């Protein structure tokens, strides 16, 4: 960054104090007042060194836009005003550039905004890291894992509408470029007791309400659910609806997020089926029954809910019902089965619901990890984000609050240790002498809880494992015996006399002095919640389910893997998880976000000082400031320090040419700051007291005002001189332009005068020349006129002479013609009278014939052979001529029409002509066939693979291929056959297989018989004694009878040179084997519409009913 580049700073335009380390005086009141002042001005972030304090504004602020992301990107931590983006950017750049694994610890009580803070950190990292299709997919999967886990792990509480009821730690893995590769999520202590019971004013987990509100009716029907919340005992009704929360929209968001993360459709369906089963478990109720031996047992009141649960999960109803009524205890080789009373049955039901939901949640986390884990095996950099429940102090504190507060004690311990370690490392790195810092070490509290011998968790595990009667009271007695003398433990029954008079402590409670304050715990439920027992019968029933997911959730139910060893308690599991988490955090560079809730009403612009004070105390923020200020309150690199304060020294202003450290030394010596107030490190200047820093800021502010005055003075002088020079230049420009204008006007005037004189002179010369030209033109025109008149006179004289000569020649010719005519008439007058009548007649007749033919030419009809028009006869004597001309013309145009035909068309018309001669006025079916072209091949046998055998058997060209119905000789029923006609044979083949049934040479066909009616029946008569006639004649039916008969007739004539006899009669005889049968055609109405039917009447008669 250039030295003269203007930079903003944490100290610029500061509202209150941006970094609590600089707060003066430092006490609880000033700390709260500073937070309130900043909160009132929408400044929700404040620093304690590198720690970010975040106050929940309970409303949207315009400070998380993409522009803000770019503003904080690659900027120094203290360069801009406090913001969560600054911490996220510092952590990301340290991971990317310095190869240091990072962790961001977000703590605070419920409703303080921890979950939103973790989302902001992840969204910032996603925005500033690399781009690309694969990278974007990884980022989207990491971000979309949040809605899924929130739906299944968050709930509405009295303090927060979206409270995380589990601890989440996510390791985001990056490659060497800083691009995300994947992530791993760890979850801690899901509050599964919320599944079966919620405090007043709170809700169950979000997913139950989202399914009932957002799922379609069809989907709810599949899950056997109803939309009404009041139908389910596990859902609290007093807070079922939350203002500002759209459960239906959130359900769609969750389903979409599951799809993006990588859940398959069947996996999503299985998850929702398990959720529905948990919801319906709460509706199972029990009633007491007494057995003959006097023992109490329980029975399910209404088995409909149980039946629906079994249908959802694929469990045998009798198996699950028995698991709710009996408990089997195994010890070595013995099994003892006891009945459950109503209370035990309800306990078993709730235990199953809690375990089922808790294991489903753990399976979800594992499944998400499978999707978002890094696919490559290269070395990875890791950024961890811890979003875990804050310190909880309620009116009724139980086992869950005890575990949560234990986790916060461990986080406070590591926070102090890592903060001091970071301070010490920086002092050593900068070469500054380290001084010991006094602080409260809460290790004694952690030891009270987690000590393996005398710790509360160890006592609780020992009590749970002890044989005999174990209750919460016996556990409290044991605590009173072991922990009575501990200075942070208090109990009403303790042997320590200090607390005997403390009536505020009930008998069934104990109190621990945490670092955040005293918390009273009720021991009721400690033993049961720590045991977290699920009867083995229920585990085995779940394992027997046909539901793959449920079966996978209960592996211990497998009879082949029965383990009689007692499972670890909830407390020991959580203790081990916290130990792993602490070990993980100690290997990373920590970054802290401390979240504070400003009020209990979840309302904007309300700052409850008492509530904030309570959170400041138990978060140890004042102690954190004191630790930070114990050495040096402020530190800054030399370059930005010199850049900010260089105007306070003449030697460093405006530019310092030497090293930045030397410039800072000169600056501090010039300002005469006491040496004990600062110290020079290797790369930073350390300032001990905030007053020194504020003094520098005051001097800088005053100096900036002086510089502003100087700049203003110089600017005004520069502005006035610039204005004067501008006016001077303007005057010169105006004068030059005016002189130019005046000269231009004078020049224009002179030019105009010269042009006027020139025009007059040119006009005089032109007029003089015009007069001379006009005189010359008149002289030329006079000579031309005289010559023209003379030439005209001469021409007229010559014309008159020529006309006279022509008249004379014409007169001679006329006289000569008359003379010759007279001679001819005298010579032939004697012949004229004898032949005049005949010649006149011939001449008249010739003229009439000529007129007749000319009129016929103009009245000729069209060349269409079917056009029957012809002009009317003009004269009676031309009647025979007129008819002959009509015949000749018709023959001529028919020939012209035929000459247009191709050979194929000629063949078709020949067949049509042949059909006309054979069937016209004989067969009623004939007129319908005239307009139908004869195709021949109605079956594409060569192209159909089904008839390959048939095409291989027939070598000749196929003239016709058609499906016909062969009439059975016995009963008159029809069977489909393929009729083939070749040049030499008639073949009948099976339609389905293509097998040839009969083959008849054309020479053996003697006659074809058919009726005169509108049917397609015909009989093919065969020569007696021939091989083909052994079974008799063929009686067939076809939709193309006319075409088939015509082609058969022509082919037989062509091959045998004999005409085939075509018999058309309504009764004819057919030879069937050795007997002749009469086929008779009758009129009748048919059941099948217009389809003729054939029926065998007797041995000698076969009737065909034609419609």
């Amino acid at each position: 960054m250039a030295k003269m580049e203007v930079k903003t700073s944490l100290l610029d335009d500061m509202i209150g104090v941006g970094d609590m380390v600089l707060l003066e005086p430092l006490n609880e009141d000033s700390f709260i007042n500073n937070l309130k002042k900043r909160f009132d001005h929408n400044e929700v972030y404040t620093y304690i060194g590198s720690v970010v304090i975040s106050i929940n504004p309970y409303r949207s602020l315009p400070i998380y836009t993409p522009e803000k992301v770019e503003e904080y990107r690659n900027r120094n931590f203290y360069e801009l005003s406090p913001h969560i983006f600054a911490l996220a950017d510092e952590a990301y750049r340290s991971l990317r550039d310095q190869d240091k694994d990072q962790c961001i610890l977000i703590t605070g009580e419920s409703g303080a905004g921890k979950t939103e803070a973790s989302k902001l950190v992840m969204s910032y990292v996603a925005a500033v890291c690399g781009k690309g299709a694969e990278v974007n997919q990884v980022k989207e999967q990491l971000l979309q894992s949040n809605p899924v886990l929130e739906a299944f792990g968050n709930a509405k509480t009295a303090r927060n509408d979206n409270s995380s009821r589990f601890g989440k730690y996510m390791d985001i893995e990056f490659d060497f470029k800083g691009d995300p590769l994947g992530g791993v999520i760890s979850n801690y202590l899901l509050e599964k007791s919320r599944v079966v019971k919620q405090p007043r004013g709170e809700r169950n987990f979000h997913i139950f309400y989202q399914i009932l509100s957002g799922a379609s009716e069809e989907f709810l029907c599949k899950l056997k659910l109803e939309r009404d919340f009041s139908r389910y005992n596990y859902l609290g009704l007093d807070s079922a609806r939350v203002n500002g929360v759209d459960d239906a929209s959130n359900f769609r968001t969750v389903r979409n997020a599951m799809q993006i993360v990588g859940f398959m459709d069947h996996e999503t369906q299985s998850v929702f089926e398990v959720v529905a089963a948990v919801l319906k478990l709460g509706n199972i109720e029990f009633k007491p029954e007494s057995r003959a031996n006097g023992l109490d047992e329980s029975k399910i009141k209404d088995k409909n809910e149980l039946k629906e649960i079994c249908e959802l999960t694929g469990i045998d109803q009798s198996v699950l019902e028995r698991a709710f009524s009996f408990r089997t205890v195994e010890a070595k080789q013995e099994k003892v089965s006891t009945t459950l009373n109503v209370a035990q049955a309800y306990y078993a039901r709730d235990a199953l619901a809690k375990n089922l939901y808790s294991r489903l949640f753990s399976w979800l986390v594992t499944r998400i990890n499978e999707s978002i884990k890094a696919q490559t095996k290269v070395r990875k950099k890791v950024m961890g984000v811890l979003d875990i429940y804050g310190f909880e102090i309620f009116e009724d504190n139980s086992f869950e609050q005890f575990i949560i507060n234990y986790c916060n004690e461990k986080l406070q311990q590591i926070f102090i240790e890592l903060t001091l370690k970071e301070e010490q490392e920086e002092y050593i790195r900068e070469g500054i002498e380290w001084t010991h810092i006094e602080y409260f070490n809460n290790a004694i509290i952690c030891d009270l809880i987690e000590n393996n011998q005398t710790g509360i968790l160890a006592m609780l595990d020992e009590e749970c494992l002890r044989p005999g009667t174990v209750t919460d009271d016996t556990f409290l007695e044991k605590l009173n015996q072991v922990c009575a003398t501990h200075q942070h433990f208090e109990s009403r029954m303790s042997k320590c006399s200090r607390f005997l008079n403390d009536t505020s402590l009930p008998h069934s409670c104990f109190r621990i002095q945490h670092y955040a304050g005293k918390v009273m715990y009720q021991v009721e439920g400690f033993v049961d919640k720590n045991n977290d027992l699920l009867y083995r019968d229920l585990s085995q029933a779940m394992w027997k389910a046909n539901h793959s997911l449920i079966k996978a959730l209960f592996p211990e139910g497998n009879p082949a893997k029965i383990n009689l060893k007692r499972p670890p308690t909830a407390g020991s599991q959580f203790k081990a998880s916290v130990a792993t988490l602490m070990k993980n955090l100690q290997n990373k560079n920590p970054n802290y976000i401390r979240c504070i809730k400003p009020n209990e009403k979840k309302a904007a612009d309300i700052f409850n000082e008492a509530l904030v004070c309570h959170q400041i105390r138990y978060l140890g923020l004042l102690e954190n400031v004191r630790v930070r200020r114990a050495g040096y309150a402020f530190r800054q690199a030399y370059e930005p320090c010199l850049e900010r304060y260089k105007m306070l020294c003449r030697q460093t202003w405006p530019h310092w040419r030497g090293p930045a450290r030397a410039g800072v030394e000169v600056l501090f010596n010039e300002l005469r700051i006491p040496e004990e107030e600062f110290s020079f490190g290797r790369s930073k200047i350390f300032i001990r007291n905030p007053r020194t820093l504020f003094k520098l800021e005051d001097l800088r502010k005053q100096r900036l005002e002086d510089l502003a005055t100087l700049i203003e003075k110089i600017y005004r002088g520069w502005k006035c001189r610039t204005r004067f020079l501008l006016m001077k230049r303007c005057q010169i420009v105006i004068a030059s332009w005016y002189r130019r204008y005046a000269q231009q006007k004078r020049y224009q005037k002179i030019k105009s005068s010269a042009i006027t004189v020139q025009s007059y002179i040119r006009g005089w010369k032109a007029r003089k020349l015009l007069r001379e030209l006009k005189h010359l033109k008149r002289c030329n025109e006079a000579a031309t006129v005289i010559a023209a008149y003379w030439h005209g006179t001469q021409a007229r004289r010559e014309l008159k002479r020529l006309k006279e000569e022509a008249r004379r020649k014409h007169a001679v010719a006329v006289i000569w013609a008359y003379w010759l005519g007279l001679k001819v008439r005298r010579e032939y007058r004697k012949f004229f009278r004898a032949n005049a009548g005949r010649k006149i007649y011939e001449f008249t007749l010739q003229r009439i014939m000529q007129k007749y033919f000319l009129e016929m030419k103009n009245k000729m009809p069209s060349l269409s052979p079917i056009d029957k028009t012809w002009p009317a006869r003009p004269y009676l004597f031309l009647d025979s001529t007129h008819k002959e001309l009509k015949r000749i013309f018709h023959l001529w145009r028919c020939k012209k029409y035929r000459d247009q035909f191709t050979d194929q068309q000629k063949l078709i018309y020949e067949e049509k002509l042949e059909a006309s001669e054979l069937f016209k006025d004989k067969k009623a079916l004939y007129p319908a066939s005239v307009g139908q072209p004869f195709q021949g091949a109605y079956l594409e046998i060569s192209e159909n693979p089904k008839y390959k055998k048939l095409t291989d058997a027939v070598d000749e060209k196929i003239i016709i291929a058609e499906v016909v119905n062969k009439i059975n000789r016995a009963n008159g029923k029809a069977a489909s056959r393929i009729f083939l006609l070749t040049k030499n044979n008639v073949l009948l083949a099976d339609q389905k297989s293509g097998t040839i049934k009969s083959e008849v040479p054309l020479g053996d066909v003697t006659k074809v018989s058919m009726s005169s009616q509108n049917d397609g029946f015909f009989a093919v008569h065969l020569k007696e004694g021939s091989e083909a006639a052994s079974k008799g004649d063929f009686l067939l039916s076809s939709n193309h009878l006319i075409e088939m008969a015509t082609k058969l007739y022509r082919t037989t004539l062509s091959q045998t040179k004999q005409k085939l006899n075509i018999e058309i009669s309504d009764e004819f005889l057919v030879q069937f084997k050795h007997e002749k049968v009469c086929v008779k055609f009758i009129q009748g109405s048919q059941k099948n519409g217009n389809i003729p039917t054939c029926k065998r009447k007797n041995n000698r008669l076969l009737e065909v009913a034609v419609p």
Side-chain angles (χ1 to χ4, degrees), residues 641-654:
C641 180
L642 181 62
E643 188 69 25
R644 186 168 183 81
Y645 301 112
K646 64 181 180 180
M647 72 287 297
L648 301 180
C649 177
R650 293 179 179 276
Q651 298 179 48
T652 58
W653 177 258

Side-chain angles (χ1 to χ4, degrees), residues 531-595:
N531 274 327
D532 193 22
L533 288 179
L534 178 67
Y535 297 151
R536 183 173 287 113
D537 302 74
L538 289 171
S539 298
Q540 293 176 351
M542 293 295 106
W543 188 84
K544 292 177 182 178
N546 291 329
H547 197 282
S548 58
L549 176 56
I550 293 180
K551 193 180 186 74
L553 295 180
F554 293 88
E556 75 277 11
N558 188 350
K561 299 180 181 179
I562 291 179
N563 185 5
L564 299 179
K565 185 179 179 182
R566 189 181 183 93
T569 61
S572 61
Q573 291 182 48
F574 187 73
K575 178 182 174 182
S577 299
V578 169
T580 304
L581 176 63
M582 296 302 117
K583 183 178 180 181
N584 195 356
L585 296 179
Q586 285 177 341
N587 295 328
K588 295 181 174 62
N589 185 48
N591 302 271
Y592 299 96
I593 301 173
R594 301 295 204 171
C595 298

Side-chain angles (χ1 to χ4, degrees), residues 939 941 947 950 961-964 976-980 987-992 994:
L939 295 177
I941 295 177
Y947 301 130
L950 184 59
E962 163 69 330
V963 176
V964 299
S976 297
R977 293 287 187 270
I978 297 176
F979 183 92
L980 298 179
L987 297 95
L988 289 177
D990 185 78
Q991 184 185 4
K992 294 182 180 179

Side-chain angles (χ1 to χ4, degrees), residues 286 297-300 320-327 338-341 345:
F286 301 93
E297 66 176 11
S298 61
K299 292 291 183 182
I300 297 175
L320 187 56
E321 184 176 1
R322 175 176 175 77
F324 280 132
S325 302
F326 294 89
R327 178 187 179 188
T338 61
T339 60
L340 300 179
N341 57 31

